[in-house]
Amino acid sequence: MIDTKTSFDREAAGAANKARPLFFIADLHLSEAIPKTVAAFEHFIEVTANDADSVFILGDLFEFWIGDDILDGPATDARADFARRMTRLMHTLSERGIGLYVMHGNRDFLLGKRFMKDAGALPLPDPFVITAFGKRIVLAHGDGLCTADRAYQGFRAFARNRFAQRLFLALPLDTRLGIGQRMRTKSEGSRMTGIKAKYDVTRKAVSELFIKSRTNTLIHGHTHRPAMHREVEGVRWVLPDWELDANTPRGGYLRLDDEGVRALPL
Ligand code: MN
């Protein structure tokens, strides 16, 4: 098994087939309310991913995750049913010999051990460095780089605190669902104003990450502004979010192979 505590060296890990590419996705914001986006994810896992050595999900796979005990919810609960359907789907990757790595986003930071086990996934800390195809690449969700949004960084520090998480998880499931619902509504509002520079990564945070990680390639999501940016210290790839239930469907993934990184549509 690969040690995901520090970094992932694909060459050292002795991947069975080193020629096979790595796929990166983020910000699917899955829930039972967006069936077309869910169908696209199912197709991605069942068909597209068959070409991959591993799939990396860099945060916000789910619109909200209020605790792994949702997986024990009654069959009559649509949300529990949905959570189980998604973990079962993801587990088919490991059954086909395809690796699955999951990083927390700002929506689904409560994805825990039980989820990882049921999905056949290995958790990735944020940020995380991989070495593959002779390249060192740093992966991040991206919210930690939006340092101009001071209020959010304060919430982020609180939300990632283990003690705060334990208190939240001790609340009854229904209470947590209510809190999650309210946070989602609030965050929808701020997503509308997401064009403001405040909600993008800062030059300083990106620069510090490149230097600290000793890499010149960064892949992240969160900002929903897919692009390839040439920064001073290296190249910054931003993953697209997925939204196939909207009027202008969007989505996509990044593929890394011996020719480098490429952005591909779904
Ligand atoms: Mn996010």
Side-chain angles (χ1 to χ4, degrees):
M1 189 176 283
I2 295 155
D3 176 18
T4 56
K5 279 195 200 76
T6 50
S7 67
F8 164 36
D9 188 334
R10 195 159 169 272
E11 273 78 15
N17 189 345
K18 285 178 186 173
R20 280 167 72 190
L22 308 184
F23 289 177
F24 302 87
I25 57 174
D27 302 290
L28 283 75
H29 296 270
L30 296 179
S31 80
E32 66 279 14
I34 46 168
K36 287 180 187 161
T37 310
V38 171
F41 180 58
E42 284 169 332
H43 185 265
F44 184 82
I45 295 298
E46 285 165 357
V47 182
T48 316
N50 279 326
D51 295 333
D53 172 88
S54 304
V55 173
F56 290 77
I57 302 176
L58 301 186
D60 287 351
L61 168 66
F62 293 106
E63 177 68 356
F64 207 79
W65 192 263
I66 44 122
D68 288 357
D69 52 348
I70 189 76
L71 293 165
D72 296 318
T76 47
D77 186 331
R79 292 160 303 206
D81 215 47
F82 175 73
R84 280 191 291 263
R85 206 175 109 213
M86 291 300 102
T87 47
R88 268 202 305 271
L89 170 71
M90 285 182 271
H91 196 273
T92 64
L93 287 172
S94 56
E95 290 157 27
R96 283 173 276 153
I98 301 160
L100 176 64
Y101 301 90
V102 176
M103 187 179 276
H104 289 144
N106 52 301
R107 308 293 191 103
D108 56 9
F109 57 85
L110 287 174
L111 287 170
K113 284 196 182 111
R114 163 79 191 282
F115 164 81
M116 297 294 168
K117 183 172 168 279
D118 287 11
L122 285 171
L124 289 185
D126 180 1
F128 188 77
V129 176
I130 62 165
T131 307
F133 298 103
K135 237 182 177 29
R136 270 172 70 81
I137 300 177
V138 62
L139 311 174
H141 175 54
D143 58 327
L145 301 169
C146 300
T147 48
D149 190 351
R150 295 289 186 84
Y152 173 70
Q153 292 304 324
F155 168 75
R156 185 174 191 266
F158 172 74
R160 305 283 173 120
N161 178 286
R162 271 166 198 261
F163 183 68
Q165 289 190 358
R166 230 176 295 150
L167 283 179
F168 181 79
L169 290 169
L171 297 169
L173 196 62
D174 276 344
T175 312
R176 278 180 274 150
L177 280 168
I179 295 171
Q181 201 63 50
R182 277 201 298 281
M183 281 175 59
R184 186 194 295 190
T185 315
K186 232 180 124 187
S187 149
E188 283 305 315
S190 60
R191 206 201 277 187
M192 294 300 141
T193 56
I195 36 167
K196 279 190 202 155
K198 188 180 160 185
Y199 302 110
D200 202 354
V201 301
T202 62
R203 189 73 278 295
K204 186 168 177 282
V206 168
S207 171
E208 280 171 5
L209 182 58
F210 272 126
I211 292 164
K212 207 177 75 188
S213 62
R214 292 177 291 114
T215 61
N216 50 30
T217 307
L218 160 63
I219 298 176
H220 72 82
H222 182 66
T223 60
H224 300 189
R225 276 175 268 194
M228 198 229 6
H229 300 273
R230 293 192 186 280
E231 307 284 0
V232 181
E233 301 84 359
V235 176
R236 178 170 68 91
W237 289 89
V238 185
L239 288 160
D241 62 314
W242 292 28
E243 176 52 280
L244 291 101
D245 295 80
N247 293 332
T248 45
R250 55 187 192 272
Y253 65 104
L254 291 180
R255 175 191 161 111
L256 169 69
D257 59 24
D258 50 13
E259 284 167 29
V261 182
R262 246 183 309 162
L264 292 168
L266 293 175

